[in-house]
Amino acid sequence: MRSFRSRIATAAGLALVTLAAFPPAAAVAHPRPVDVQLLSYTDFHGYITPQSNAADGTIKDAQGNTLVVGGAPYLATHLKNLRAGKAHSITFSTGDNFSGWPVEVAHHADEPTIEFMNKVGTSFTTVGNHELDRSLEFLRDHMGEGECFGVVGEDSCFTDSDGHPFQGATFTISTANITRKGSTEPLFKPYVIRKFGNVRVGFINLTTPTTVDGSTSYQPTLDNLPLVESANKYAAELRHRGVRAIVVNIHEGAAAGNDFNGCGDSKAGPIWDFARDASPDIDAIVTGHWHAAFNCSVPDPAGNPRPVVEASNHGRLISEINLRIDPRTKDVIRAATTSVNHAVTRDVRPDPEMVELVDHWNAKEKETYARQVGTITGDVTRTRDADGESALGNLVADVAYADSQKTQGGAADLAMVAVAPVKGSNSLRGDLLYAKGANPADADGRVLFGEAWATWGYANPVLTVSVKGGQIEQALEQQWQTQANGSVRFAPLAVSGNVRFRYDTTKPVGDRVLPEHVLINGQPLDPARTYRLAALAYTLLGADGYTAFAGHTDAVRGERDYEAFRDFLRNGPVTPPALDRAAPVNAAG
């Protein structure tokens, strides 16, 4: 057996040999940085089909040249080309993916957009305001998990371009600042962490605080938490978890000139305050919502620059940010960060799989358009009489009233719908005619899905709210509004069939309707009483130009206008309503 002294010597010798095998610390080579490519698109709104109009299918470069852009087949190709040769790349969306207006998507519960996003390798998305145009459950359970609702193949869970039933998103839906009313606990994952080599990047996802009170995304049971506070909270949490490279993906935006790769001086919008105030631990900010295009660098609170980018809308641009991460500190080397916006031009080969997808859903739309949803016994038109009434206006007021009766907590006393609003868009968009149209599936009195869709609505929910009788009287007074040139504009409101009112245009504007001349279920309007009123959110929020409903309370959300209208039509043959709900005070009867 060796002595204690010899064992020490041997151990020391081994230690000397081991140390001698390594060069001095100063000579150790620095490990190579990890390069991570971030590719993002925003406000896609279901524009899978290449568009031919200037607003959706073109964009101007810095020299003012018009570039033809957009469409899923070209967006997919550009994403593939940008990823080529990149060891570490991730693709994500900055929200408002669906709830858009292309009929091939909108008629199919926005499922075509999910198919597109899955196929182009989207890793995650934040929640845009339009993601909540229907309901939390629609977003989380249907879009996210693939749960069906209504009649399969008619209302949801359509067959996709591969012949498969809808399965929902393969990507993560995330936002840090959407909660239940009164709660501070996010309803979705507040951030996602992705690993690239031996480094991790955290992506905090945020939603514009205008969401829960927006006219289409109005969600009275939800709350928005503040943006900066939410970003800072989760940046600190990520650092506590050892994540040093942090990106904010925020569906809130701004404007910064007209050069999609520039950063003009005429900045406007809330993102600039956010960029100035959000934690310096955040290394890059990707924005959306404003449908703007810019590529900026803004100092964080510590004075270090970080990119702030936005990629327009409808698939016209892709934002690329390249992060260089130190594998020792796990943090971003800010000085090596680059950013650029790429136009999704159509001078590349369209992706064949996406061409098939677009063709499939456009063919499917023709089938869906031709599906019967109801029957009418006569023409239902927008033509107004001298009192401002029209058959379609009265019908949609009845639709809003009926929707409130089946909505839990609804049961309105009356409904009112703007049929010639003071400002904003008119929700009456077409006539329903009894005679059959050109579509081979049509017949006399038959209402097709596409016809109903094109008649009334712009994805606005029916809300039932509490208002005073005096507010209803004031709203009826606001049908006449004095213009800047002294003329009086008539902007009639349609009322449900249980309401009758009279007016006197010989009186001054603002004094033409008396409470005793307004009957609800045969009873005179009581200015002091609280009534439950059904109307579109757009009107109740004042966007139509009627201010009378400000301060309404106890809002309950019903169906969107589109779905409420189809449900009403399905209940049996619809007879055009009589034009007998409004009349001058001196009218006979």
Side-chain angles (χ1 to χ4, degrees):
M1 175 181 261
R2 291 176 298 165
S3 68
F4 177 76
R5 183 187 297 273
S6 67
R7 291 200 304 272
I8 291 293
T10 302
L14 284 172
L16 288 171
V17 169
T18 302
L19 290 173
F22 291 89
V28 175
H30 292 300
R32 294 174 60 86
V34 177
D35 291 325
V36 179
Q37 179 193 54
L38 315 181
L39 299 176
S40 62
Y41 56 94
T42 188
D43 294 87
F44 187 63
H45 285 294
Y47 276 76
I48 59 171
T49 303
Q51 301 295 304
S52 58
N53 64 84
D56 302 315
T58 68
I59 199 164
K60 290 188 182 298
D61 64 15
Q63 291 73 42
N65 300 311
T66 298
L67 307 177
V68 178
V69 293
Y74 301 99
L75 182 53
T77 294
H78 279 279
L79 286 170
K80 288 179 181 177
N81 291 345
L82 287 168
R83 293 173 188 142
K86 301 288 185 179
H88 305 297
S89 180
I90 187 169
T91 299
F92 56 92
S93 167
T94 313
D96 275 9
N97 306 297
F98 17 90
S99 290
W101 300 273
V103 290
E104 71 276 13
V105 171
H107 287 182
H108 301 111
D110 295 296
E111 292 172 15
T113 302
I114 296 293
E115 184 185 358
F116 159 76
M117 294 176 69
N118 288 345
K119 285 186 171 180
V120 296
T122 306
S123 178
F124 62 88
T125 181
T126 191
V127 174
N129 51 298
H130 284 290
E131 262 75 53
L132 288 165
D133 275 0
R134 296 189 71 161
S135 68
L136 169 66
E137 292 73 23
F138 178 83
L139 172 61
R140 183 189 61 201
D141 303 333
H142 176 61
M143 308 310 277
E145 301 298 330
E147 290 187 13
C148 302
F149 63 88
V151 178
V152 171
E154 290 190 6
D155 299 306
S156 72
C157 292
F158 301 91
T159 300
D160 69 17
S161 65
D162 292 326
H164 301 144
F166 181 66
Q167 297 295 316
T170 57
F171 51 88
T172 304
I173 299 173
S174 166
T175 185
N177 67 315
I178 297 287
T179 69
R180 295 284 186 190
K181 184 72 74 177
S183 171
T184 58
E185 189 67 28
L187 287 166
F188 296 88
K189 293 180 178 180
Y191 54 79
V192 297
I193 299 173
R194 297 291 186 261
K195 190 171 183 180
F196 305 94
N198 67 339
V199 300
R200 294 181 296 165
V201 180
F203 298 87
I204 302 168
N205 297 289
L206 295 166
T207 304
T208 172
T210 63
T211 297
V212 298
D213 291 327
S215 65
T216 57
S217 57
Y218 193 91
Q219 297 290 344
T221 64
L222 303 182
D223 255 342
N224 279 118
L225 301 180
L227 295 176
V228 172
E229 290 85 342
S230 298
N232 291 353
K233 173 184 177 179
Y234 291 108
E237 184 172 311
L238 284 166
R239 283 191 65 82
H240 181 72
R241 295 184 61 178
V243 178
R244 295 293 183 268
I246 301 173
V247 176
V248 159
N249 183 39
I250 177 172
H251 192 76
E252 182 61 283
N258 298 318
D259 179 1
F260 64 73
N261 256 320
C263 188
D265 295 330
S266 56
K267 294 185 178 67
I271 210 63
W272 308 120
D273 288 340
F274 178 89
R276 180 194 64 210
D277 297 335
S279 168
D281 292 331
I282 296 165
D283 298 295
I285 300 171
V286 181
T287 78
H289 186 50
W290 274 48
H291 295 195
F294 53 80
N295 178 19
C296 294
S297 178
V298 179
D300 67 20
N304 298 315
R306 58 186 172 192
V308 181
V309 300
E310 188 163 335
S312 188
N313 63 323
H314 300 173
R316 295 189 294 159
L317 293 179
I318 297 168
S319 287
E320 178 184 11
I321 297 176
N322 288 289
L323 304 178
R324 178 156 289 179
I325 302 173
D326 188 325
R328 298 168 304 170
T329 65
K330 314 299 184 186
D331 208 345
V332 172
I333 304 169
R334 292 278 186 95
T337 298
T338 63
S339 60
V340 61
N341 283 328
H342 301 277
V344 181
T345 56
R346 299 185 199 167
D347 57 356
V348 296
R349 179 174 180 262
D351 182 88
E353 187 177 32
M354 290 298 129
V355 171
E356 184 177 337
L357 179 148
V358 171
D359 289 347
H360 168 82
W361 288 109
N362 278 282
K364 180 66 177 174
E365 193 280 323
K366 291 180 174 60
E367 297 177 17
T368 302
Y369 182 103
R371 194 173 75 240
Q372 182 176 359
V373 295
T375 305
I376 55 175
T377 63
D379 290 347
V380 184
T381 74
R382 295 165 289 175
T383 303
R384 295 195 300 272
D385 65 11
D387 302 315
E389 289 189 79
S390 68
L392 182 58
N394 286 358
L395 176 60
V396 298
D398 292 342
V399 169
Y401 181 81
D403 186 75
S404 78
Q405 305 306 307
K406 66 180 184 179
T407 299
Q408 185 174 1
D413 297 302
L414 75 159
M416 303 174 79
V417 173
V419 295
V422 180
K423 63 179 182 179
S425 301
N426 192 338
S427 63
L428 303 186
R429 298 186 290 112
D431 300 327
L432 286 181
L433 302 180
Y434 178 81
K436 69 177 182 180
N439 194 294
D442 206 1
D444 289 351
R446 184 177 295 173
V447 179
L448 305 181
F449 182 104
E451 293 174 332
W453 187 280
T455 297
W456 181 55
Y458 44 89
N460 225 235
V462 176
L463 302 184
T464 304
V465 300
S466 292
V467 295
K468 291 295 185 182
Q471 292 176 275
I472 295 171
E473 178 192 357
Q474 184 186 4
L476 292 173
E477 293 282 12
Q478 288 180 350
Q479 294 178 108
W480 297 272
Q481 298 201 13
T482 303
Q483 305 301 294
N485 63 3
S487 64
V488 175
R489 176 175 176 176
F490 184 37
L493 289 161
V495 296
S496 51
N498 63 330
V499 178
R500 299 291 184 275
F501 71 90
R502 297 197 174 198
Y503 60 90
D504 188 349
T505 54
T506 67
K507 298 289 182 67
V509 170
D511 192 27
R512 294 182 169 184
V513 179
L514 297 176
E516 57 265 32
H517 290 161
V518 182
L519 301 180
I520 301 173
N521 294 321
Q523 299 300 311
L525 180 71
D526 180 353
R529 177 187 159 185
T530 297
Y531 292 85
R532 294 291 282 167
L533 169 70
L536 295 182
Y538 201 75
T539 301
L540 291 169
L541 297 173
D544 278 337
Y546 307 93
T547 61
F549 303 120
H552 63 263
T553 59
D554 305 317
V556 174
R557 179 179 168 130
E559 292 277 16
R560 295 190 310 172
D561 41 24
Y562 293 129
E563 288 78 30
F565 193 37
R566 291 200 301 275
D567 287 348
F568 191 92
L569 291 168
R570 288 188 185 110
N571 286 332
V574 170
T575 298
L579 308 185
D580 60 356
R581 303 176 188 183
V585 292
N586 57 356

